[in-house]
Each structure stands twice: as C-alpha cells, then as structure tokens.
Amino acid sequence: MNSREKDNKLDMLHGPLTPRLMQFAIPLIASGLLQQSFNAVDVAVIGRYSTSQALAAVGSNGPLINILVNLFIGISIGANVVIANYIGRGNSNGIKKAVSTTATLSLVSGFCLLALGLLFSRPILEWMGAPHDVIDLATEYLSIYFLGMPFMMVYNFGSAILRSMGDTKRPFYALCVGSVVNVALNLLLVAVFDMGVAGVAIGTVVASAVNAAFIVWWLLREAEPFRFSPREMKVSGSELKKMLQIGVPAGMQGMVFSGANLFIQAAINAYGADAIAGSSAALTYEAYCYFIVVAFSQATVAFMSQNYGAGNFRRCKEVVGKCMILSCSFCLAANILITLFGVPCLKIFTSDPAVIEYGLIRFHTVLIFQFMACSYEITGSAMRGLGNSLTPMLLTVFGTCVLRLAWIYTVNAHYHDFKILLVIYPITWVVTGLMVVAAYFHMAHKRFLPGAPRTVRV
C-alpha cells in the first residue's frame, strides 16, 4: 500500500476516537452539502430565472425522488456494514466477494430506478394533488432527472465501498467537481438558453455522471482486495443475503419515511403554490443540517461494524456515545444559525414575501428542533452496524410515519393551519428517539457479552 492509499484510509480500530470520527464525518458532511446542492442550485436558479410554478415543480419533488431511491440507498448501507465487518475480522476473500457483489448491485439498482421513475412519476404527482399549473413541469423535470439514476447509484454504492475502509475524502473530491459542473450547466441552460426545468435536470444528470466516473476510476486502481474489476462482476449469494438483510429494512424505513412525507407534501399542496415554494426552500436547509446527522450516523455504522468484527466491544460503546454528542452539538448549532438568519437564507431562493413567510414558519416550527432526530438516527445506525436493521426500521416507521399520518387526518384536518401541520415533526422526533434508544441499550447488553459472535448474522 503506497502513502497516498494510506492517507485515504482510516484506522478505525486503534487510537483516539474523537479525532478519527471527525476525520471520517467532516468529508461526509461536506459531501452531503454538495450533493444536496444539486437540488438546491436547481431550486435557486429556477427561483431567480423562471416562474413560481417552475420553482414549485422542482422544489416539491424531493419526497417523490426519495421514496423511489431510498430502498437502494439502504442496500448500499448493507454493503458498507458487510465490508467493514470483514475488514475488522481481516477476511480478504470476504471483502473481495462483497465488493464484486456491491458493484453489480449498483448497476442493477440504477436501471431499476430509471424504469420506476419514468413509469410512476406522473401518477404519484397526480395522487399528491400537484396543482394543474405545476404538474406538467414537475413531470418534465422528473423524466429527465431519473435518466441519471444509474450514475447516482454507481456513485452511492462505490462510496459505500470506500467508506467501509474509512475513506470519505475521495467521494467528497468527486462531488466538488460535479457541483461545479452542475452550477455551470444550470446557469448556462436556464439563464442563457431559457430551458427552465429541463435545463436544471440536465445539469444534475451530467454532474451525476461526472461523480460516478471518478468513483469508478478510483476503484479500478484500488489495492486488493478492494479493487473493482469489470471482468469479475458477479453476485455472491451469501454476501447478497447479508447486504439485503441489513439494507432492505434500512431502505424500507427510508421509503416509508418518504412515503409519509408525500402525505405531508400533499397536505402542504392544499395551501397553494406559495406554501409549496416556501416549504421547499426551507426544506433545502433542513436537508443541509440533516447531512450532519447522516455523516455521524454513517460514522457510527462504519466504526461499529469494524470494531464489532474485531471484538472491540468497549470501543463500540464509545463510538455510540461520542457520535451522539457530536451529531447533536453540530446539528443544533446549524439549526440555530440558519433560523437566526432565516430571511436572508430564504431570499437566496425567492424575493416573494408570501413565499418567505411560509419558509419562516417552517424554520421556527421544524428546523429549530431538528437536532432531536439524532437520538434515533445514531442508535439506529449502531444497531445496523451490529447486524440488526429490522428493529430500528419498525420503531422508526411507527414513530415518524404512522404518527405523522394520524396527525394529518385528525388534528390537521380539524384545524387546517400550516403551522399546526408542521408541529408533528418535533413531536415524532421525541417519541421515536425514546423508543430507539431503549431498543439499542437492550440489544447492546446482549451483543457485547464475552464470547458473543462477531459476524453479521444471516
């Protein structure tokens, strides 16, 4: 292994934990911000150079995109856990088979999403009650956007391979280049050629292709057993089973979570285009802050998987505690900062006072309390790192999805008030956090006993 490869990898099993967690998480936070910027730049450019209807068409598609993508993103988490566990156990043959399986899954996932997006985008938008002056533009945007799904999945699954060995830097470097490409194409196609929603969608697809190309280039040149070889692409049944055991529940959780958000988006749609646009702009900042939580959740998965495989049970416990403290602290700081400067933040996307007012309501009702979601995200990730993905899925689905749907059809239906609709977010974060934290401590008590198995169970 040369010095450059050593610099890209991270020793998760030894040494001071907090600096290593930060070293892992900071590039992931930056990567999340850049990845989210693809949609944020789309929204900002459309908001400045096109109509409010076009802004609503682009900005309101997040929940729909997520519900179709999250299953496969969950499977990539399963790949991360399996490979990291093999690293902790020192099983090179297992790593090689898992990498080959992951590479194959990335292509299959991408083309499945391409087909699903093209077939079901408009029917779901119609079911959501998208306004008649928005739905055609939203369908146009999604039809182009989903052409980039094979590239997005190659990037996400390839990044999971790199994360399992502690490398979060190179995926960030790829996104840096992709973000520049995205911004340049958006400005060119929308501001210069007036292509509207089609222009921003094309920019996102091309940028995703750039991201994927970098990841593939690096994996082709990676040291064994992590190297990707197109001629050896095949699925190992045993590795696939492990990845699906962990990844499918994680993905289903994301899908159901996004499905609940579709119902909330449908409820928001009833307040008109200004509410849709304002909520979409505010939601962009929620996504930015949530990438802090996601970064430390990914750190929890990777560090927990490797140390569990190596039998470092005491370090596993330290990983959860420190990730919880770090994620809550950084997320709360970001929540407060954005809320304090709410008007300037929203003016990046729109100058319409009515749209800004709706965005501010969402800031003060949802964003300021978002740090509370760390409670269930970190402990849920810890359970996945130990090989149990079903329990956090069931608890999170009940806490954040079932309760939100009940709120929409009872309290919101009675009061029909935008702020009251959004209050359900902090309520469900508290309820879900209490349940998942309790489940984690119950599971950890059993898994960290002397002589407990250290493998991902099938």
Side-chain angles (χ1 to χ4, degrees):
M1 181 183 298
N2 60 40
S3 61
R4 181 175 298 179
E5 288 171 341
K6 289 181 180 179
D7 289 341
N8 288 326
K9 295 177 176 63
L10 183 64
D11 184 357
M12 303 185 196
L13 303 177
H14 310 94
L17 190 54
T18 299
R20 282 167 169 73
L21 289 171
M22 294 297 295
Q23 186 180 346
F24 185 97
I26 288 175
L28 268 180
I29 293 171
S31 297
L33 296 178
L34 285 173
Q35 198 163 28
Q36 178 61 27
S37 74
F38 284 3
N39 184 258
V41 169
D42 292 352
V43 173
V45 172
I46 282 292
R48 285 292 177 183
Y49 297 101
S50 192
T51 64
S52 294
Q53 287 74 22
L55 175 62
V58 173
S60 63
N61 279 318
L64 174 55
I65 291 170
N66 289 338
I67 197 173
L68 295 175
V69 169
N70 275 333
L71 174 62
F72 300 98
I73 296 297
I75 295 173
S76 76
I77 293 173
N80 189 352
V81 171
V82 171
I83 297 171
N85 187 266
Y86 279 134
I87 293 171
R89 291 161 55 196
N91 187 336
S92 296
N93 185 55
I95 294 171
K96 192 171 183 64
K97 291 193 296 182
V99 167
S100 175
T101 301
T102 302
T104 306
L105 274 176
S106 69
L107 290 177
V108 173
S109 301
F111 284 104
C112 285
L113 281 168
L114 171 59
L116 288 171
L118 294 178
L119 288 173
F120 296 110
S121 292
R122 189 176 185 93
I124 296 177
L125 287 169
E126 290 175 346
W127 169 81
M128 289 170 61
H132 70 279
D133 57 345
V134 171
I135 190 167
D136 288 338
L137 292 172
T139 303
E140 180 184 4
Y141 175 78
L142 288 172
S143 297
I144 300 171
Y145 182 94
F146 274 95
L147 293 176
M149 277 301 155
F151 303 123
M152 294 181 192
M153 290 299 103
V154 167
Y155 172 81
N156 279 292
F157 276 83
S159 296
I161 295 172
L162 296 177
R163 283 196 305 271
S164 68
M165 64 180 86
D167 182 2
T168 56
K169 294 179 181 178
R170 285 183 289 179
F172 169 64
Y173 299 151
L175 280 172
C176 285
V177 179
S179 294
V180 172
V181 171
N182 188 49
V183 172
L185 284 176
N186 280 350
L187 292 173
L188 176 66
L189 297 177
V190 179
V192 178
F193 291 104
D194 195 26
M195 293 180 63
V197 296
V200 294
I202 291 170
T204 300
V205 170
V206 175
S208 298
V210 171
N211 296 338
F214 273 101
I215 294 295
V216 172
W217 175 266
W218 286 319
L219 287 175
L220 286 169
R221 286 153 181 79
E222 188 59 56
E224 293 289 357
F226 298 97
R227 179 177 297 160
F228 163 61
S229 174
R231 290 178 298 180
E232 297 178 6
M233 283 183 65
K234 60 182 179 180
V235 174
S236 166
S238 60
E239 306 313 318
L240 177 62
K241 188 175 182 180
K242 293 174 185 177
M243 292 177 190
L244 295 180
Q245 179 197 29
I246 299 166
V248 169
M252 291 298 295
Q253 174 184 315
M255 288 182 70
V256 176
F257 184 83
S258 296
N261 285 340
L262 284 180
F263 283 89
I264 293 177
Q265 185 62 52
I268 291 172
N269 289 348
Y271 294 91
D274 288 339
I276 297 171
S279 180
S280 298
L283 189 60
T284 299
Y285 289 101
E286 289 175 33
Y288 280 137
C289 294
Y290 212 76
F291 276 113
I292 297 172
V293 185
V294 170
F296 285 105
S297 296
Q298 292 284 359
T300 304
V301 168
F303 277 76
M304 183 70 86
S305 300
Q306 276 205 24
N307 282 281
Y308 186 59
N312 297 337
F313 297 158
R314 180 177 179 181
R315 193 172 175 88
C316 287
K317 297 176 183 178
E318 293 176 358
V319 166
V320 178
K322 293 192 174 182
C323 282
M324 183 70 74
I325 293 171
L326 291 169
S327 61
C328 284
S329 301
F330 282 100
C331 186
L332 177 59
N335 295 158
I336 293 173
L337 185 64
I338 293 171
T339 303
L340 287 175
F341 295 93
V343 173
C345 288
L346 292 169
K347 282 188 175 179
I348 294 173
F349 298 101
T350 181
S351 57
D352 189 326
V355 174
I356 291 174
E357 181 61 29
Y358 277 107
L360 289 174
I361 292 173
R362 181 150 190 149
F363 278 171
H364 290 95
T365 309
V366 180
L367 180 68
I368 194 65
F369 300 106
Q370 190 185 37
F371 74 96
M372 294 188 295
C374 297
S375 58
Y376 67 84
E377 290 288 5
I378 298 299
T379 48
S381 294
M383 284 191 275
R384 292 187 184 95
L386 297 175
N388 183 341
S389 193
L390 183 61
T391 299
M393 180 206 79
L394 294 174
L395 295 177
T396 304
V397 164
F398 174 77
T400 63
C401 301
V402 175
L403 293 183
R404 289 179 187 178
L405 292 179
W407 185 270
I408 290 171
Y409 291 108
T410 56
V411 177
N412 180 68
H414 178 73
Y415 289 100
H416 192 67
D417 180 273
F418 187 70
K419 185 173 183 178
I420 290 177
L421 168 64
L422 299 179
V423 165
I424 190 57
Y425 280 98
I427 292 174
T428 53
W429 287 333
V430 171
V431 172
T432 307
L434 291 172
M435 292 190 298
V436 179
V437 168
Y440 162 73
F441 279 111
H442 178 73
M443 177 182 174
H445 176 71
K446 295 181 177 179
R447 291 294 180 92
F448 296 150
L449 293 173
R454 298 183 287 115
T455 61
V456 174
R457 302 174 187 178
V458 180

